[in-house]
Amino acid sequence: GNSVTQMEGPVTLSEEAFLTINCTYTATGYPSLFWYVQYPGEGLQLLLKATKADDKGSNKGFEATYRKETTSFHLEKGSVQVSDSAVYFCALSDRNTGNQFYFGTGTSLTVIP
Amino acid sequence: KAGVTQTPRYLIKTRGQQVTLSCSPISGHRSVSWYQQTPGQGLQFLFEYFSETQRNKGNFPGRFSGRQFSNSRSEMNVSTLELGDSALYLCASSLRSGSSYNEQFFGPGTRLTVL
């Protein structure tokens, strides 16, 4: 079946530090991969996506590359800011299951000045 | 373009009651999905509606039901509420169904507390 395994949190970093949040997946078909971010008291916002192997999604300084050989989609940012403090979710969708998204457990990130 | 709206934002009910949550998708979006978010279970898929038909259903008991109207607005209903139903219920809309390329746009959620 489909599933997403995400790095456990919480993660605490100093401002301008390098961020990596690991995400690996299992899928029966040809999934698209997503990173969503959730700020306190809000719903999820799409951060970036990749729809096929070797695609790189990027947005607001965040990047993730769809690696089929390692079934991974790790999120990276070169220099985090306090405003990046949030919970990050890795997710996949599979054309065989329509719009059902499979989410990881979420990784809480706190960036301290 | 207005985003996904959910009403109410907060709800407090007691065990045994029933509740109806509402979701208005982004204009032009025809697919609406519902998720339950809890600290213990994370985000779990409830169901998806497209063109007033349920397309997919997650592993939840029959107390959880939904429907979609001709204007794509959707409601979900939970009957005979249990303490464990306390959660953030998120609605997400997409342009269409059946494609893994779809982005889902989430609403702010309805926070349900069952006492």
Side-chain angles (χ1 to χ4, degrees):
Chain A
N2 297 323
S3 67
V4 174
T5 302
Q6 193 173 335
M7 175 176 147
E8 292 284 334
V11 174
T12 302
L13 294 173
S14 297
E15 206 165 21
E16 299 184 2
F18 184 84
L19 168 71
T20 299
I21 301 178
N22 290 337
C23 171
T24 57
Y25 68 90
T26 302
T28 54
Y30 302 92
S32 293
L33 302 172
F34 303 81
W35 277 100
Y36 279 84
V37 58
Q38 186 176 33
Y39 298 99
E42 298 183 13
L44 276 67
Q45 299 176 24
L46 178 66
L47 183 59
L48 52 84
K49 70 175 184 179
T51 58
K52 61 183 187 297
D54 300 325
D55 267 2
K56 177 187 280 189
S58 61
N59 185 26
K60 299 180 182 179
F62 291 90
E63 292 183 341
T65 301
Y66 188 146
R67 301 285 188 201
K68 190 176 179 183
E69 63 275 13
T70 55
T71 61
S72 65
F73 192 55
H74 305 320
L75 182 68
E76 297 181 337
K77 187 175 185 182
S79 176
V80 294
Q81 306 300 311
V82 172
S83 57
D84 294 327
S85 297
V87 181
Y88 293 81
F89 292 90
C90 185
L92 75 82
S93 73
D94 181 336
R95 70 183 67 175
N96 294 325
T97 52
N99 280 350
Q100 178 175 352
F101 272 43
Y102 299 83
F103 286 90
T105 52
T107 301
S108 174
L109 170 67
T110 300
V111 180
I112 54 177
Chain B
K1 197 180 229 186
V4 179
T5 58
Q6 291 187 247
T7 56
R9 291 293 310 275
Y10 302 91
L11 208 47
I12 299 175
K13 292 285 187 179
T14 56
R15 278 181 300 174
Q17 287 187 310
Q18 75 165 21
V19 67
T20 299
L21 312 182
S22 180
C23 171
S24 292
I26 292 171
S27 178
H29 285 195
R30 296 170 62 193
S31 170
V32 173
S33 299
W34 289 89
Y35 294 83
Q36 181 195 64
Q37 185 178 22
T38 59
Q41 299 297 318
L43 279 150
Q44 294 186 286
F45 173 78
L46 280 155
F47 28 65
E48 180 206 355
Y49 285 87
F50 179 79
S51 293
E52 302 177 65
T53 301
Q54 188 179 90
R55 296 293 298 268
N56 203 358
K57 189 178 192 309
N59 189 26
F60 277 82
R63 300 186 296 107
F64 292 82
S65 62
R67 60 178 175 168
Q68 187 180 34
F69 302 94
S70 58
N71 62 358
S72 295
R73 190 178 70 85
S74 176
E75 289 181 347
M76 68 163 280
N77 183 276
V78 188
S79 62
T80 320
L81 283 166
E82 300 176 359
L83 294 179
D85 297 333
S86 294
L88 181 67
Y89 289 88
L90 293 166
C91 164
S93 78
S94 299
L95 269 174
R96 57 194 177 277
S97 180
S99 168
S100 64
Y101 305 113
N102 285 338
E103 291 181 26
Q104 292 205 352
F105 296 84
F106 283 81
T110 294
R111 172 74 63 186
L112 172 64
T113 301
V114 182
L115 303 176

